Amino acid sequence: RAKGKLTENFEYFAPEIEERTTRQLDMIRRLRTDFAERKLELWFQPQVDLVTENVVGMEGLLRWPDGNGGYIPPSEFVPLAEYSGLIVDIGQWVLEESCRCINQLEQAGYDTLRVAVNISIPQFRDRGFVQRVKDALTTYNCPPNRLELEITESVVMDEPQIVIDALKALKEHGVAIAIDDFGTGFSSMSYLQKLPLDRLKVDRSFVSDIKPGKSAVIAETIVTLGNKLGLSTIAEGVERREQASYMIKLGCDEAQGFLFAKPMPIVELMDYLNSKQDS
Ligand code: C2E
Ligand code: MG
Ligand code: MG
Ligand code: MG
């Protein structure tokens, strides 16, 4: 019975799998072309101090125009960029755009804001990564402490030694390191001590658990862990006032979320910063 069922399922699903594979291969081809034609964009989402609500930095986030005025979400194309290896070149471009942004901020007098960049595992595996980060900083005349690299737990677990070595070298150079989506991946707590970390990013899922009058045990535990390890903490995906208030109560330092600002192109970001300064 089981065997018959399997065959049945296989026959039922095979065309679907084939169709999905074709669609994904087509997407990789289009991504390669659009990247080569410089159609990708890097947007920036402000990060604020939870208490003062002053902007303290921002995260660079990829945007891929779909040609119809919309955007293909990173959750759809970043995994394909990683799978195809395209993320190595795209990620390098993201790094350079981020350094260019730091430089632009500096020119405008914003000489303390940091810019965070998401780094994927193929970038670490690619030899010369550390040097290329340093080169990008030099090219755009950026103080290294204005750049922050975000890695997820799975990146660390994939290649612990390569990642630890690279991050140690970059940390020594002055670059800051954050763990992204903290609490959602499989990780060994021992890496928290082996990695030269500055910040834990509390994943959006734990922040959204905060409803009026309800405690969020995991968010609380992560903030406590961060505080005890001497790390700064930032809440991701803060959408509502009560979530911000609760995170302040927990002792969380910073926040990033639609309550404060959405990701935006660099031109808008500059306007946003200037308007905050005027007010
Ligand atoms: P992430 O690094 O965890 O980025 C935060 C995501 O949360 C962003 O989604 C951001 O738009 C979203 N977000 C921020 N505040 C809120 C909020 O209040 N509510 C909700 N619902 N969402 C919020 P985005 O831009 O779609 O990016 C998704 C993921 O794609 C990122 O998650 C990151 O893992 C990946 N990604 C984006 N850009 C890059 C990149 O340049 N390189 C790499 N390797 N990955 C990237
Ligand atoms: Mg991130
Ligand atoms: Mg995140
Ligand atoms: Mg997240």
Side-chain angles (χ1 to χ4, degrees):
R1 195 188 70 98
K3 201 176 164 194
K5 189 90 182 180
L6 236 158
T7 317
E8 230 172 80
N9 281 345
F10 181 75
E11 280 170 359
Y12 180 72
F13 283 117
E16 221 174 79
I17 292 170
E18 204 177 284
E19 199 187 302
R20 195 176 60 210
T21 310
T22 310
R23 205 173 55 232
Q24 291 182 336
L25 288 176
D26 180 56
M27 223 168 156
I28 291 170
R29 259 193 303 273
R30 280 189 293 130
L31 181 61
R32 182 177 289 118
T33 316
D34 280 5
F35 173 61
E37 293 175 358
R38 306 191 155 273
K39 286 181 182 156
L40 293 194
E41 299 172 16
L42 193 66
W43 288 21
F44 296 91
Q45 184 179 30
Q47 301 174 328
V48 302
D49 178 297
L50 260 170
V51 176
T52 64
E53 294 192 8
N54 288 333
V55 178
V56 290
M58 62 218 71
E59 176 178 10
L61 295 160
L62 274 167
R63 293 292 178 263
W64 183 17
D66 66 6
N68 291 312
Y71 291 88
I72 299 157
S75 55
E76 272 180 43
F77 72 84
V78 168
L80 294 178
E82 289 172 340
Y83 168 77
S84 62
L86 269 175
I87 197 69
V88 174
D89 288 342
I90 294 177
Q92 181 62 27
W93 173 79
V94 168
L95 260 165
E96 283 165 21
E97 282 296 294
S98 300
C99 289
R100 209 162 61 84
C101 175
I102 294 171
N103 181 281
Q104 239 174 291
L105 289 166
E106 188 113 335
Q107 308 255 344
Y110 300 106
D111 53 6
T112 58
L113 301 184
R114 54 171 204 265
V115 177
V117 178
N118 295 285
I119 308 290
S120 293
I121 195 68
Q123 295 176 266
F124 282 102
R125 286 211 194 93
D126 195 53
R127 285 176 60 221
F129 172 69
V130 170
Q131 192 54 48
R132 273 199 303 282
V133 176
K134 292 181 181 173
D135 290 347
L137 288 164
T138 312
T139 304
Y140 293 94
N141 208 5
C142 301
N145 66 357
R146 309 280 301 289
L147 181 69
E148 179 160 288
L149 304 183
E150 291 192 6
I151 53 159
T152 60
E153 292 156 285
S154 64
V155 165
V156 186
M157 296 311 283
D158 250 35
E159 293 279 10
Q161 211 48 56
I162 292 181
V163 171
I164 291 171
D165 290 347
L167 293 183
K168 275 190 175 156
L170 288 166
K171 172 77 179 186
E172 251 167 60
H173 193 64
V175 174
I177 318 286
I179 299 248
D180 203 356
D181 306 338
F182 189 75
T184 59
F186 294 99
S187 73
S188 144
M189 289 282 171
S190 67
Y191 286 118
L192 287 176
Q193 280 177 320
K194 291 192 186 129
L195 289 165
L197 298 177
D198 295 276
R199 212 175 322 281
L200 292 186
K201 297 194 79 176
V202 183
D203 188 69
R204 173 153 62 90
S205 58
F206 308 126
V207 175
S208 64
D209 276 348
I210 299 164
K211 308 264 156 58
K214 188 171 167 265
S215 78
V217 175
I218 299 179
E220 178 172 0
T221 306
I222 294 173
V223 172
T224 305
L225 178 67
N227 286 342
K228 293 203 167 169
L229 288 169
L231 306 175
S232 167
T233 50
I234 178 165
E236 297 192 87
V238 174
E239 294 181 349
R240 293 191 306 275
R241 192 41 73 182
E242 68 260 22
Q243 295 170 336
S245 315
Y246 193 81
M247 293 311 291
I248 292 177
K249 239 179 25 197
L250 296 183
C252 187
D253 303 300
E254 301 175 357
Q256 177 181 346
F258 297 168
L259 175 66
F260 304 103
K262 290 194 170 174
M264 56 188 111
I266 180 96
V267 180
E268 278 176 42
L269 178 88
M270 289 297 175
D271 290 344
Y272 172 84
L273 291 173
N274 291 336
S275 74
K276 289 225 126 189
Q277 213 175 37
D278 295 341
S279 66

PDB file of all heavy atoms in Angstrom, residues 50-71:
ATOM      1  N   LEU A  50      16.005  52.868  21.413  1.00  0.00           N
ATOM      2  CA  LEU A  50      14.616  52.686  21.860  1.00  0.00           C
ATOM      3  C   LEU A  50      14.137  53.804  22.770  1.00  0.00           C
ATOM      4  O   LEU A  50      12.966  54.201  22.712  1.00  0.00           O
ATOM      5  CB  LEU A  50      14.472  51.338  22.564  1.00  0.00           C
ATOM      6  CG  LEU A  50      13.876  50.196  21.729  1.00  0.00           C
ATOM      7  CD1 LEU A  50      14.012  48.865  22.451  1.00  0.00           C
ATOM      8  CD2 LEU A  50      12.425  50.457  21.353  1.00  0.00           C
ATOM      9  N   VAL A  51      15.014  54.328  23.594  1.00  0.00           N
ATOM     10  CA  VAL A  51      14.582  55.338  24.562  1.00  0.00           C
ATOM     11  C   VAL A  51      14.467  56.724  23.925  1.00  0.00           C
ATOM     12  O   VAL A  51      13.437  57.388  24.047  1.00  0.00           O
ATOM     13  CB  VAL A  51      15.521  55.358  25.789  1.00  0.00           C
ATOM     14  CG1 VAL A  51      15.135  56.480  26.745  1.00  0.00           C
ATOM     15  CG2 VAL A  51      15.471  54.008  26.508  1.00  0.00           C
ATOM     16  N   THR A  52      15.513  57.147  23.209  1.00  0.00           N
ATOM     17  CA  THR A  52      15.495  58.498  22.631  1.00  0.00           C
ATOM     18  C   THR A  52      14.845  58.529  21.247  1.00  0.00           C
ATOM     19  O   THR A  52      14.451  59.581  20.760  1.00  0.00           O
ATOM     20  CB  THR A  52      16.930  59.040  22.471  1.00  0.00           C
ATOM     21  OG1 THR A  52      17.620  58.198  21.524  1.00  0.00           O
ATOM     22  CG2 THR A  52      17.682  59.021  23.780  1.00  0.00           C
ATOM     23  N   GLU A  53      14.761  57.371  20.617  1.00  0.00           N
ATOM     24  CA  GLU A  53      14.280  57.234  19.236  1.00  0.00           C
ATOM     25  C   GLU A  53      15.166  57.958  18.224  1.00  0.00           C
ATOM     26  O   GLU A  53      14.761  58.189  17.083  1.00  0.00           O
ATOM     27  CB  GLU A  53      12.803  57.627  19.102  1.00  0.00           C
ATOM     28  CG  GLU A  53      11.920  56.657  19.874  1.00  0.00           C
ATOM     29  CD  GLU A  53      10.432  56.763  19.588  1.00  0.00           C
ATOM     30  OE1 GLU A  53      10.035  57.503  18.666  1.00  0.00           O
ATOM     31  OE2 GLU A  53       9.673  56.079  20.292  1.00  0.00           O
ATOM     32  N   ASN A  54      16.365  58.311  18.639  1.00  0.00           N
ATOM     33  CA  ASN A  54      17.330  58.847  17.675  1.00  0.00           C
ATOM     34  C   ASN A  54      17.810  57.727  16.764  1.00  0.00           C
ATOM     35  O   ASN A  54      17.983  56.594  17.210  1.00  0.00           O
ATOM     36  CB  ASN A  54      18.552  59.419  18.400  1.00  0.00           C
ATOM     37  CG  ASN A  54      18.240  60.722  19.109  1.00  0.00           C
ATOM     38  OD1 ASN A  54      17.329  61.456  18.705  1.00  0.00           O
ATOM     39  ND2 ASN A  54      18.983  61.015  20.166  1.00  0.00           N
ATOM     40  N   VAL A  55      18.035  58.070  15.491  1.00  0.00           N
ATOM     41  CA  VAL A  55      18.568  57.080  14.564  1.00  0.00           C
ATOM     42  C   VAL A  55      20.030  56.803  14.933  1.00  0.00           C
ATOM     43  O   VAL A  55      20.802  57.735  15.156  1.00  0.00           O
ATOM     44  CB  VAL A  55      18.471  57.582  13.101  1.00  0.00           C
ATOM     45  CG1 VAL A  55      19.084  56.561  12.139  1.00  0.00           C
ATOM     46  CG2 VAL A  55      17.024  57.847  12.721  1.00  0.00           C
ATOM     47  N   VAL A  56      20.366  55.517  15.034  1.00  0.00           N
ATOM     48  CA  VAL A  56      21.745  55.160  15.377  1.00  0.00           C
ATOM     49  C   VAL A  56      22.448  54.441  14.233  1.00  0.00           C
ATOM     50  O   VAL A  56      23.666  54.288  14.225  1.00  0.00           O
ATOM     51  CB  VAL A  56      21.805  54.277  16.650  1.00  0.00           C
ATOM     52  CG1 VAL A  56      21.431  55.088  17.887  1.00  0.00           C
ATOM     53  CG2 VAL A  56      20.907  53.055  16.513  1.00  0.00           C
ATOM     54  N   GLY A  57      21.659  53.986  13.283  1.00  0.00           N
ATOM     55  CA  GLY A  57      22.251  53.275  12.160  1.00  0.00           C
ATOM     56  C   GLY A  57      21.175  52.823  11.200  1.00  0.00           C
ATOM     57  O   GLY A  57      20.036  53.310  11.257  1.00  0.00           O
ATOM     58  N   MET A  58      21.545  51.905  10.329  1.00  0.00           N
ATOM     59  CA  MET A  58      20.569  51.383   9.372  1.00  0.00           C
ATOM     60  C   MET A  58      21.070  50.062   8.819  1.00  0.00           C
ATOM     61  O   MET A  58      22.257  49.746   8.921  1.00  0.00           O
ATOM     62  CB  MET A  58      20.360  52.360   8.233  1.00  0.00           C
ATOM     63  CG  MET A  58      21.595  52.624   7.423  1.00  0.00           C
ATOM     64  SD  MET A  58      21.712  54.335   6.925  1.00  0.00           S
ATOM     65  CE  MET A  58      22.069  55.128   8.455  1.00  0.00           C
ATOM     66  N   GLU A  59      20.121  49.281   8.266  1.00  0.00           N
ATOM     67  CA  GLU A  59      20.490  48.015   7.636  1.00  0.00           C
ATOM     68  C   GLU A  59      20.252  48.120   6.144  1.00  0.00           C
ATOM     69  O   GLU A  59      19.200  48.589   5.709  1.00  0.00           O
ATOM     70  CB  GLU A  59      19.650  46.863   8.222  1.00  0.00           C
ATOM     71  CG  GLU A  59      19.925  45.526   7.530  1.00  0.00           C
ATOM     72  CD  GLU A  59      19.149  44.353   8.130  1.00  0.00           C
ATOM     73  OE1 GLU A  59      18.244  44.570   8.964  1.00  0.00           O
ATOM     74  OE2 GLU A  59      19.467  43.204   7.756  1.00  0.00           O
ATOM     75  N   GLY A  60      21.235  47.687   5.367  1.00  0.00           N
ATOM     76  CA  GLY A  60      21.093  47.646   3.914  1.00  0.00           C
ATOM     77  C   GLY A  60      20.304  46.412   3.511  1.00  0.00           C
ATOM     78  O   GLY A  60      20.598  45.315   3.969  1.00  0.00           O
ATOM     79  N   LEU A  61      19.281  46.588   2.671  1.00  0.00           N
ATOM     80  CA  LEU A  61      18.437  45.472   2.243  1.00  0.00           C
ATOM     81  C   LEU A  61      18.259  45.490   0.728  1.00  0.00           C
ATOM     82  O   LEU A  61      17.907  46.519   0.149  1.00  0.00           O
ATOM     83  CB  LEU A  61      17.082  45.542   2.955  1.00  0.00           C
ATOM     84  CG  LEU A  61      17.139  45.353   4.486  1.00  0.00           C
ATOM     85  CD1 LEU A  61      15.894  45.907   5.168  1.00  0.00           C
ATOM     86  CD2 LEU A  61      17.344  43.876   4.845  1.00  0.00           C
ATOM     87  N   LEU A  62      18.505  44.359   0.104  1.00  0.00           N
ATOM     88  CA  LEU A  62      18.425  44.247  -1.357  1.00  0.00           C
ATOM     89  C   LEU A  62      16.995  44.398  -1.857  1.00  0.00           C
ATOM     90  O   LEU A  62      16.058  43.897  -1.236  1.00  0.00           O
ATOM     91  CB  LEU A  62      18.926  42.871  -1.794  1.00  0.00           C
ATOM     92  CG  LEU A  62      20.421  42.698  -2.019  1.00  0.00           C
ATOM     93  CD1 LEU A  62      20.767  41.201  -2.122  1.00  0.00           C
ATOM     94  CD2 LEU A  62      20.883  43.447  -3.267  1.00  0.00           C
ATOM     95  N   ARG A  63      16.850  45.066  -2.980  1.00  0.00           N
ATOM     96  CA  ARG A  63      15.569  45.162  -3.666  1.00  0.00           C
ATOM     97  C   ARG A  63      15.773  44.847  -5.139  1.00  0.00           C
ATOM     98  O   ARG A  63      16.662  45.399  -5.779  1.00  0.00           O
ATOM     99  CB  ARG A  63      14.977  46.573  -3.497  1.00  0.00           C
ATOM    100  CG  ARG A  63      14.563  46.905  -2.046  1.00  0.00           C
ATOM    101  CD  ARG A  63      13.377  46.061  -1.611  1.00  0.00           C
ATOM    102  NE  ARG A  63      12.942  46.273  -0.241  1.00  0.00           N
ATOM    103  CZ  ARG A  63      13.300  45.521   0.804  1.00  0.00           C
ATOM    104  NH1 ARG A  63      14.155  44.514   0.637  1.00  0.00           N
ATOM    105  NH2 ARG A  63      12.805  45.743   1.996  1.00  0.00           N
ATOM    106  N   TRP A  64      14.925  43.950  -5.660  1.00  0.00           N
ATOM    107  CA  TRP A  64      15.013  43.547  -7.069  1.00  0.00           C
ATOM    108  C   TRP A  64      13.731  43.958  -7.791  1.00  0.00           C
ATOM    109  O   TRP A  64      12.692  43.328  -7.594  1.00  0.00           O
ATOM    110  CB  TRP A  64      15.238  42.034  -7.172  1.00  0.00           C
ATOM    111  CG  TRP A  64      15.407  41.529  -8.573  1.00  0.00           C
ATOM    112  CD1 TRP A  64      15.702  42.258  -9.691  1.00  0.00           C
ATOM    113  CD2 TRP A  64      15.271  40.167  -9.000  1.00  0.00           C
ATOM    114  NE1 TRP A  64      15.776  41.443 -10.788  1.00  0.00           N
ATOM    115  CE2 TRP A  64      15.520  40.144 -10.394  1.00  0.00           C
ATOM    116  CE3 TRP A  64      14.981  38.965  -8.338  1.00  0.00           C
ATOM    117  CZ2 TRP A  64      15.482  38.970 -11.137  1.00  0.00           C
ATOM    118  CZ3 TRP A  64      14.935  37.795  -9.082  1.00  0.00           C
ATOM    119  CH2 TRP A  64      15.187  37.791 -10.471  1.00  0.00           C
ATOM    120  N   PRO A  65      13.783  45.017  -8.600  1.00  0.00           N
ATOM    121  CA  PRO A  65      12.595  45.477  -9.320  1.00  0.00           C
ATOM    122  C   PRO A  65      12.069  44.373 -10.252  1.00  0.00           C
ATOM    123  O   PRO A  65      12.863  43.688 -10.903  1.00  0.00           O
ATOM    124  CB  PRO A  65      13.109  46.663 -10.145  1.00  0.00           C
ATOM    125  CG  PRO A  65      14.359  47.101  -9.460  1.00  0.00           C
ATOM    126  CD  PRO A  65      14.962  45.864  -8.878  1.00  0.00           C
ATOM    127  N   ASP A  66      10.741  44.207 -10.262  1.00  0.00           N
ATOM    128  CA  ASP A  66      10.157  43.142 -11.090  1.00  0.00           C
ATOM    129  C   ASP A  66       9.785  43.621 -12.489  1.00  0.00           C
ATOM    130  O   ASP A  66       9.236  42.868 -13.291  1.00  0.00           O
ATOM    131  CB  ASP A  66       8.950  42.509 -10.387  1.00  0.00           C
ATOM    132  CG  ASP A  66       7.785  43.486 -10.221  1.00  0.00           C
ATOM    133  OD1 ASP A  66       7.861  44.627 -10.742  1.00  0.00           O
ATOM    134  OD2 ASP A  66       6.796  43.103  -9.563  1.00  0.00           O
ATOM    135  N   GLY A  67      10.064  44.911 -12.766  1.00  0.00           N
ATOM    136  CA  GLY A  67       9.779  45.417 -14.107  1.00  0.00           C
ATOM    137  C   GLY A  67       8.368  45.964 -14.249  1.00  0.00           C
ATOM    138  O   GLY A  67       8.013  46.531 -15.277  1.00  0.00           O
ATOM    139  N   ASN A  68       7.542  45.752 -13.219  1.00  0.00           N
ATOM    140  CA  ASN A  68       6.159  46.253 -13.264  1.00  0.00           C
ATOM    141  C   ASN A  68       5.885  47.242 -12.142  1.00  0.00           C
ATOM    142  O   ASN A  68       4.747  47.394 -11.707  1.00  0.00           O
ATOM    143  CB  ASN A  68       5.166  45.086 -13.154  1.00  0.00           C
ATOM    144  CG  ASN A  68       5.173  44.219 -14.383  1.00  0.00           C
ATOM    145  OD1 ASN A  68       5.117  44.730 -15.511  1.00  0.00           O
ATOM    146  ND2 ASN A  68       5.286  42.920 -14.183  1.00  0.00           N
ATOM    147  N   GLY A  69       6.957  47.862 -11.649  1.00  0.00           N
ATOM    148  CA  GLY A  69       6.762  48.824 -10.567  1.00  0.00           C
ATOM    149  C   GLY A  69       6.810  48.199  -9.187  1.00  0.00           C
ATOM    150  O   GLY A  69       6.756  48.891  -8.177  1.00  0.00           O
ATOM    151  N   GLY A  70       6.902  46.871  -9.140  1.00  0.00           N
ATOM    152  CA  GLY A  70       6.989  46.185  -7.849  1.00  0.00           C
ATOM    153  C   GLY A  70       8.378  45.610  -7.621  1.00  0.00           C
ATOM    154  O   GLY A  70       9.306  45.877  -8.392  1.00  0.00           O
ATOM    155  N   TYR A  71       8.498  44.830  -6.569  1.00  0.00           N
ATOM    156  CA  TYR A  71       9.786  44.236  -6.232  1.00  0.00           C
ATOM    157  C   TYR A  71       9.625  42.765  -5.883  1.00  0.00           C
ATOM    158  O   TYR A  71       8.640  42.379  -5.254  1.00  0.00           O
ATOM    159  CB  TYR A  71      10.414  44.967  -5.038  1.00  0.00           C
ATOM    160  CG  TYR A  71      10.849  46.368  -5.383  1.00  0.00           C
ATOM    161  CD1 TYR A  71       9.957  47.436  -5.260  1.00  0.00           C
ATOM    162  CD2 TYR A  71      12.130  46.616  -5.853  1.00  0.00           C
ATOM    163  CE1 TYR A  71      10.335  48.722  -5.596  1.00  0.00           C
ATOM    164  CE2 TYR A  71      12.522  47.899  -6.194  1.00  0.00           C
ATOM    165  CZ  TYR A  71      11.618  48.951  -6.066  1.00  0.00           C
ATOM    166  OH  TYR A  71      11.991  50.220  -6.408  1.00  0.00           O
TER     167      TYR A  71
END
